Amino acid sequence: MSEDQVVSVRVEDRIAWVKFARPEKRNAMNPALNRQMMEVLDDLEYRDDVGVLVLGGEGNSWSAGMDLKEYFRETEAQGLRGVRKSQRESYGWFRRLRWFHKPTIAMVNGWCFGGGFGPLFACDLAICADEAQFGLSEINWGILPGGGVTKVVVDLLPMRDAMWLTLTGELIDGKQASAMRLVNESVPLDRLEARTTEVAKLLLKKNSVALKFAKDAVRRVGVMTYDEAEDYLVRMQEAANFHDKTDGRKEGIRQFIDEKSYKPGLGAYDL
Ligand code: ACO
């Protein structure tokens, strides 16, 4: 029996709009959704007509976190084999998204709970609606934020904020999430898609190889010593030069120094 479609996808002007699509369940992530997300990422990752991926939610939710019935209760009923399988499926697509070949933007329109912080962190940038509501509700039903979520808040937030969200399970709205730097910015809901499109278009003007190496570098260097990071960044730029068949770095210098057609301080060179 084929699974219901619980992820929606639309590609337009090199932006892939991927959405959690179980609005009647507040986009809680069940095993079917986790499997479909992996397939969708697989399909989109190396397509030439996709330059940026946006992850949004259908209806009034971004994601109500893991599905307490289908992801926890029903897989636990299958024993450890079922539990580990469903963990592999969810952690698998979160990881795939963290290292996605194209830049990614979380567009948080509404509820974002618990396990939803996994894909939130996996996206490179995050823009939310002022009306969005974020919370680590795990403590409210008697567990600690697992599945990487405690690591997410510790990496993204100062310790007091991470501890506050973790221990109280209290909600914060989009403006608070932005002030806390859980997201890049918060805008009124009716501006959310337009603002996300603007940011996606800004990224589409940049050299795509440089974007991939730069986003990976930001995630990787945090745990390195200074010397390791310095060395890693030299090697990564050399690898980027190899992968960039347009020789963008030289072209960027040429358009500035010889052609004088743009200024790197003020915008990107013509791809
Ligand atoms: N898991 C399973 N089902 C869910 C989830 C979830 N995380 N969230 C919502 N649903 C279901 C509800 O059971 C309900 O199903 P039904 O229509 O068959 O009864 C349906 O979605 C609608 O939910 P309501 O609670 O009726 O919607 P409402 O708009 O009143 O409230 C809210 C929305 C606040 C998101 C509420 O549903 C809720 O608290 N959900 C749980 C949030 C949560 O704690 N998630 C787990 C985080 S921890 C983790 O992910 C590991």
Side-chain angles (χ1 to χ4, degrees):
M1 203 178 71
S2 67
E3 288 174 341
D4 290 341
Q5 203 56 41
V6 286
V7 176
S8 68
V9 184
R10 174 170 59 91
V11 177
E12 205 176 301
D13 300 333
R14 304 200 60 235
I15 304 172
W17 298 88
V18 177
K19 291 190 177 176
F20 298 105
R22 298 180 76 212
E24 72 292 350
K25 297 288 182 189
R26 306 299 179 261
N27 296 329
M29 292 178 274
N30 65 351
L33 185 143
N34 292 328
R35 282 191 286 273
Q36 285 177 30
M37 276 292 186
M38 186 61 115
E39 284 167 18
V40 164
L41 296 182
D42 232 352
D43 174 53
L44 295 172
E45 188 160 18
Y46 297 101
R47 273 171 55 168
D48 291 337
D49 63 341
V50 173
V52 174
L53 183 146
V54 175
L55 182 60
E58 301 283 1
N60 70 351
S61 286
W62 196 64
S63 173
M66 307 322 292
D67 187 306
L68 301 198
K69 176 169 168 280
E70 295 186 36
Y71 181 83
F72 288 110
R73 193 161 70 187
E74 291 177 5
T75 57
E76 280 158 23
Q78 298 162 20
L80 195 55
R81 186 165 186 267
V83 170
R84 291 286 180 264
K85 180 171 185 293
S86 64
Q87 287 170 339
R88 277 197 305 277
E89 287 168 347
S90 59
Y91 302 169
W93 79 263
F94 297 172
R95 186 178 310 114
R96 187 72 181 269
L97 188 60
R98 276 202 304 283
W99 302 105
F100 200 69
H101 201 69
K102 316 285 170 66
T104 54
I105 307 172
M107 181 177 77
V108 184
N109 50 306
W111 301 114
C112 177
F113 281 110
F117 280 53
L120 179 69
F121 175 70
C123 289
D124 303 318
L125 300 175
I127 303 173
C128 74
D130 297 342
E131 294 85 342
Q133 296 279 335
F134 299 80
L136 296 187
S137 56
E138 284 89 338
I139 203 70
N140 291 339
W141 59 282
I143 70 163
L144 62 81
V149 170
T150 297
K151 176 69 176 156
V152 166
V153 288
V154 166
D155 277 5
L156 286 180
L157 304 175
M159 192 271 251
R160 296 290 181 210
D161 290 329
M163 199 65 94
W164 179 265
L165 292 177
T166 302
L167 298 188
T168 69
E170 289 283 286
L171 289 168
I172 55 170
D173 65 18
K175 284 185 178 164
Q176 290 170 296
S178 171
M180 215 181 250
R181 310 309 296 146
L182 185 59
V183 299
N184 291 95
E185 57 183 90
S186 180
V187 296
L189 183 59
D190 61 7
R191 288 252 313 122
L192 182 62
E193 194 162 320
R195 179 61 187 144
T196 306
T197 306
E198 275 173 18
V199 174
K201 286 188 172 165
L202 182 67
L203 297 173
L204 287 172
K205 291 197 186 114
K206 315 292 182 192
N207 178 305
S208 60
V209 175
L211 283 171
K212 167 63 176 157
F213 278 84
K215 63 177 258 180
D216 286 5
V218 169
R219 287 188 188 271
R220 294 261 188 233
V221 296
V223 294
M224 294 181 193
T225 63
Y226 191 93
D227 282 348
E228 285 166 348
E230 194 179 66
D231 191 49
Y232 167 84
L233 294 169
V234 168
R235 306 294 159 216
M236 285 304 111
Q237 184 55 53
E238 288 166 358
N241 295 346
F242 170 79
H243 281 284
D244 184 5
K245 301 307 174 202
T246 68
D247 220 352
R249 185 171 163 276
K250 287 187 181 153
E251 180 59 17
I253 295 176
R254 192 190 68 76
Q255 288 182 22
F256 176 49
I257 300 294
D258 303 331
E259 210 171 74
K260 298 195 183 304
S261 55
Y262 86 114
K263 294 178 193 292
L266 304 180
Y269 74 95
D270 220 355
L271 291 175

